[in-house]
Amino acid sequence: MIEISNLTKVFGSGDAATTVLDDVDFAVPAGEIFAVVGPSGAGKSTLAQCINLLERPTSGEVIVNGESLTRLDAAALRRARRRIGTVFQSANLLSRRTAAENVALPLDYLGVTKAQTRARVAELLDRVGLADQASKYPHQLSGGQRQRVGIARALALRPSVLLSDEATSGLDPRATDSFLSLLREVRDELDLAVVFITHEMDTIVKIADRVGRLDRGRIAEQGSVVDLLLDPGSELGAALRPSGSSSAAPVGLEQLLVTHNSVAVPADWLSRITGQLGTPISVLGGNVQDVDGVSVGQWTIAIAPDRVHDFTSAATPLGLYARPVDTDTTVAA
Ligand SMILES: Nc1ncnc2c1ncn2[C@@H]1O[C@H](COP(=O)(O)OP(=O)(O)OP(=O)(O)O)[C@@H](O)[C@H]1O
Ligand SMILES: [Mg+2]
């Protein structure tokens, strides 16, 4: 379990002071993946550095399994930091060390015997599927393999928290998916609390249980991924929802954006509404996907303007939320 409590980070002082993190609050229980998303410059990497105490927060606390790391002196902090394993973008491996030597790095500092280190490294590389790549140097590995070495190294000291900052950036879709499955597996096996920082919305939908949106240093919105996806009023939900392009509405018809607003939208909702209203409904675009067994998505449809009200009334009891598309900003649909 990791708790981030009223975390604030100010760089500089006086006139030059910039508040990069402003009262950030969230908690991630063991076994859960919490994603942090936000635009470039929102403070995501600063948050990562404050969580593993590479940067001292200006105020607020980082609490792991009930112990506040921010209150520890330097020696105690060095020990406590072992409870947080970190994977960075492009893994940050040392280029002059082999995969095995990179994984061994955190163990080297602990005074573990060579035999113990060798056994632990072999076990870790095997776990991430790289037993046969142990003696390769980082430049001889693919991007996806380097990130797997990064996970192995992050797990070397048996942490209870895994922190990942843009670890899938730059990976192709297959390497990303394989990284995400590995992350989910180790989360389950080791009951890790995972803080997963990314700017990729589709990655969040695939992996996270909950997500917080960081906006200019503040958590502007947070919640479970499914709840946000089903909330038509959520900005984060709208960004997470799979969106497809839609064609233009036929002349004279009104365009509506129809969003899943319930876990129980019947698969045949369109034919039900068409049957009930007895009027043609054109589907201009749509996208649905399964998230934790819940179907979420949205469609763009077109209908005669004098039937819009009837459509909305028929859609609501089926768990759908319909609103007119502002045709000037249709791209958002
Ligand atoms: N050491 C520092 N001193 C002063 N300002 C800093 C420092 N580190 C980061 N910042 C500022 O903090 C803000 C947030 O930076 P940060 O790297 O945390 O953003 P980010 O959300 O990770 O962005 P990206 O998506 O591009 O990685 C930026 O405006 C940056 O200039
Ligand atoms: Mg960053």
Side-chain angles (χ1 to χ4, degrees), residues 38-46 48 89 165-166 197 199:
S40 183
K44 302 184 297 298
S45 293
T46 306
Q89 180 168 9
D165 185 13
E166 301 285 1
I197 297 175
H199 65 275

PDB file of all heavy atoms in Angstrom, residues 38-46 48 89 165-166 197 199, ligand 2:
ATOM      1  N   GLY A  38      -1.450  12.740 -17.701  1.00  0.00           N
ATOM      2  CA  GLY A  38      -1.485  14.199 -17.775  1.00  0.00           C
ATOM      3  C   GLY A  38      -0.622  14.656 -18.923  1.00  0.00           C
ATOM      4  O   GLY A  38       0.268  13.924 -19.365  1.00  0.00           O
ATOM      5  N   PRO A  39      -0.858  15.862 -19.396  1.00  0.00           N
ATOM      6  CA  PRO A  39      -0.078  16.357 -20.535  1.00  0.00           C
ATOM      7  C   PRO A  39       1.381  16.592 -20.157  1.00  0.00           C
ATOM      8  O   PRO A  39       1.733  16.601 -18.975  1.00  0.00           O
ATOM      9  CB  PRO A  39      -0.774  17.673 -20.883  1.00  0.00           C
ATOM     10  CG  PRO A  39      -1.484  18.098 -19.647  1.00  0.00           C
ATOM     11  CD  PRO A  39      -1.830  16.844 -18.902  1.00  0.00           C
ATOM     12  N   SER A  40       2.204  16.781 -21.156  1.00  0.00           N
ATOM     13  CA  SER A  40       3.608  17.066 -20.946  1.00  0.00           C
ATOM     14  C   SER A  40       3.743  18.303 -20.051  1.00  0.00           C
ATOM     15  O   SER A  40       3.057  19.303 -20.259  1.00  0.00           O
ATOM     16  CB  SER A  40       4.262  17.311 -22.311  1.00  0.00           C
ATOM     17  OG  SER A  40       5.624  17.513 -22.139  1.00  0.00           O
ATOM     18  N   GLY A  41       4.593  18.202 -19.050  1.00  0.00           N
ATOM     19  CA  GLY A  41       4.796  19.334 -18.156  1.00  0.00           C
ATOM     20  C   GLY A  41       3.829  19.371 -16.984  1.00  0.00           C
ATOM     21  O   GLY A  41       3.917  20.249 -16.123  1.00  0.00           O
ATOM     22  N   ALA A  42       2.915  18.397 -16.902  1.00  0.00           N
ATOM     23  CA  ALA A  42       1.922  18.394 -15.818  1.00  0.00           C
ATOM     24  C   ALA A  42       2.561  18.106 -14.465  1.00  0.00           C
ATOM     25  O   ALA A  42       1.984  18.416 -13.418  1.00  0.00           O
ATOM     26  CB  ALA A  42       0.835  17.361 -16.109  1.00  0.00           C
ATOM     27  N   GLY A  43       3.754  17.480 -14.484  1.00  0.00           N
ATOM     28  CA  GLY A  43       4.424  17.170 -13.219  1.00  0.00           C
ATOM     29  C   GLY A  43       4.551  15.675 -12.951  1.00  0.00           C
ATOM     30  O   GLY A  43       4.902  15.269 -11.844  1.00  0.00           O
ATOM     31  N   LYS A  44       4.304  14.846 -13.968  1.00  0.00           N
ATOM     32  CA  LYS A  44       4.289  13.391 -13.774  1.00  0.00           C
ATOM     33  C   LYS A  44       5.658  12.854 -13.334  1.00  0.00           C
ATOM     34  O   LYS A  44       5.749  12.085 -12.384  1.00  0.00           O
ATOM     35  CB  LYS A  44       3.849  12.670 -15.066  1.00  0.00           C
ATOM     36  CG  LYS A  44       2.478  13.106 -15.553  1.00  0.00           C
ATOM     37  CD  LYS A  44       2.031  12.302 -16.761  1.00  0.00           C
ATOM     38  CE  LYS A  44       2.917  12.477 -17.996  1.00  0.00           C
ATOM     39  NZ  LYS A  44       2.943  13.865 -18.516  1.00  0.00           N
ATOM     40  N   SER A  45       6.708  13.256 -14.033  1.00  0.00           N
ATOM     41  CA  SER A  45       8.028  12.736 -13.664  1.00  0.00           C
ATOM     42  C   SER A  45       8.486  13.300 -12.324  1.00  0.00           C
ATOM     43  O   SER A  45       9.151  12.600 -11.546  1.00  0.00           O
ATOM     44  CB  SER A  45       9.056  13.055 -14.749  1.00  0.00           C
ATOM     45  OG  SER A  45       8.741  12.326 -15.920  1.00  0.00           O
ATOM     46  N   THR A  46       8.126  14.531 -12.058  1.00  0.00           N
ATOM     47  CA  THR A  46       8.438  15.107 -10.742  1.00  0.00           C
ATOM     48  C   THR A  46       7.740  14.303  -9.654  1.00  0.00           C
ATOM     49  O   THR A  46       8.326  14.010  -8.603  1.00  0.00           O
ATOM     50  CB  THR A  46       8.003  16.590 -10.692  1.00  0.00           C
ATOM     51  OG1 THR A  46       8.590  17.275 -11.799  1.00  0.00           O
ATOM     52  CG2 THR A  46       8.418  17.250  -9.398  1.00  0.00           C
ATOM     53  N   ALA A  48       6.963  11.132  -9.865  1.00  0.00           N
ATOM     54  CA  ALA A  48       7.698   9.858  -9.745  1.00  0.00           C
ATOM     55  C   ALA A  48       8.945  10.042  -8.877  1.00  0.00           C
ATOM     56  O   ALA A  48       9.229   9.235  -7.991  1.00  0.00           O
ATOM     57  CB  ALA A  48       8.071   9.335 -11.134  1.00  0.00           C
ATOM     58  N   GLN A  89      11.344   5.147 -18.423  1.00  0.00           N
ATOM     59  CA  GLN A  89      11.322   5.076 -19.875  1.00  0.00           C
ATOM     60  C   GLN A  89      12.685   4.565 -20.353  1.00  0.00           C
ATOM     61  O   GLN A  89      13.712   4.951 -19.808  1.00  0.00           O
ATOM     62  CB  GLN A  89      11.044   6.463 -20.456  1.00  0.00           C
ATOM     63  CG  GLN A  89      11.011   6.470 -21.962  1.00  0.00           C
ATOM     64  CD  GLN A  89      10.464   7.773 -22.515  1.00  0.00           C
ATOM     65  OE1 GLN A  89      10.255   8.736 -21.778  1.00  0.00           O
ATOM     66  NE2 GLN A  89      10.242   7.800 -23.807  1.00  0.00           N
ATOM     67  N   ASP A 165       7.466   5.027 -14.809  1.00  0.00           N
ATOM     68  CA  ASP A 165       7.304   6.346 -15.439  1.00  0.00           C
ATOM     69  C   ASP A 165       7.514   6.218 -16.946  1.00  0.00           C
ATOM     70  O   ASP A 165       8.649   6.060 -17.402  1.00  0.00           O
ATOM     71  CB  ASP A 165       8.293   7.357 -14.846  1.00  0.00           C
ATOM     72  CG  ASP A 165       8.058   8.776 -15.390  1.00  0.00           C
ATOM     73  OD1 ASP A 165       7.004   9.023 -16.019  1.00  0.00           O
ATOM     74  OD2 ASP A 165       8.938   9.641 -15.193  1.00  0.00           O
ATOM     75  N   GLU A 166       6.449   6.269 -17.698  1.00  0.00           N
ATOM     76  CA  GLU A 166       6.485   6.193 -19.174  1.00  0.00           C
ATOM     77  C   GLU A 166       7.256   4.961 -19.646  1.00  0.00           C
ATOM     78  O   GLU A 166       7.972   5.012 -20.655  1.00  0.00           O
ATOM     79  CB  GLU A 166       7.125   7.465 -19.775  1.00  0.00           C
ATOM     80  CG  GLU A 166       6.420   8.761 -19.418  1.00  0.00           C
ATOM     81  CD  GLU A 166       5.103   8.979 -20.167  1.00  0.00           C
ATOM     82  OE1 GLU A 166       4.699   8.108 -20.967  1.00  0.00           O
ATOM     83  OE2 GLU A 166       4.471  10.016 -19.935  1.00  0.00           O
ATOM     84  N   ILE A 197       2.704   5.632 -14.476  1.00  0.00           N
ATOM     85  CA  ILE A 197       2.620   6.976 -15.046  1.00  0.00           C
ATOM     86  C   ILE A 197       2.748   6.897 -16.561  1.00  0.00           C
ATOM     87  O   ILE A 197       3.663   6.253 -17.075  1.00  0.00           O
ATOM     88  CB  ILE A 197       3.743   7.854 -14.452  1.00  0.00           C
ATOM     89  CG1 ILE A 197       3.515   7.992 -12.934  1.00  0.00           C
ATOM     90  CG2 ILE A 197       3.785   9.213 -15.134  1.00  0.00           C
ATOM     91  CD1 ILE A 197       4.618   8.731 -12.210  1.00  0.00           C
ATOM     92  N   HIS A 199       1.264   8.832 -20.629  1.00  0.00           N
ATOM     93  CA  HIS A 199       0.368   9.775 -21.291  1.00  0.00           C
ATOM     94  C   HIS A 199      -0.503   9.036 -22.309  1.00  0.00           C
ATOM     95  O   HIS A 199      -1.255   9.645 -23.046  1.00  0.00           O
ATOM     96  CB  HIS A 199       1.179  10.902 -21.950  1.00  0.00           C
ATOM     97  CG  HIS A 199       2.052  10.407 -23.052  1.00  0.00           C
ATOM     98  ND1 HIS A 199       3.312   9.903 -22.824  1.00  0.00           N
ATOM     99  CD2 HIS A 199       1.821  10.287 -24.368  1.00  0.00           C
ATOM    100  CE1 HIS A 199       3.825   9.496 -23.974  1.00  0.00           C
ATOM    101  NE2 HIS A 199       2.941   9.712 -24.923  1.00  0.00           N
TER     102      HIS A 199
HETATM  103 MG    MG B   2       7.829  12.926 -17.636  1.00  0.00          MG
END
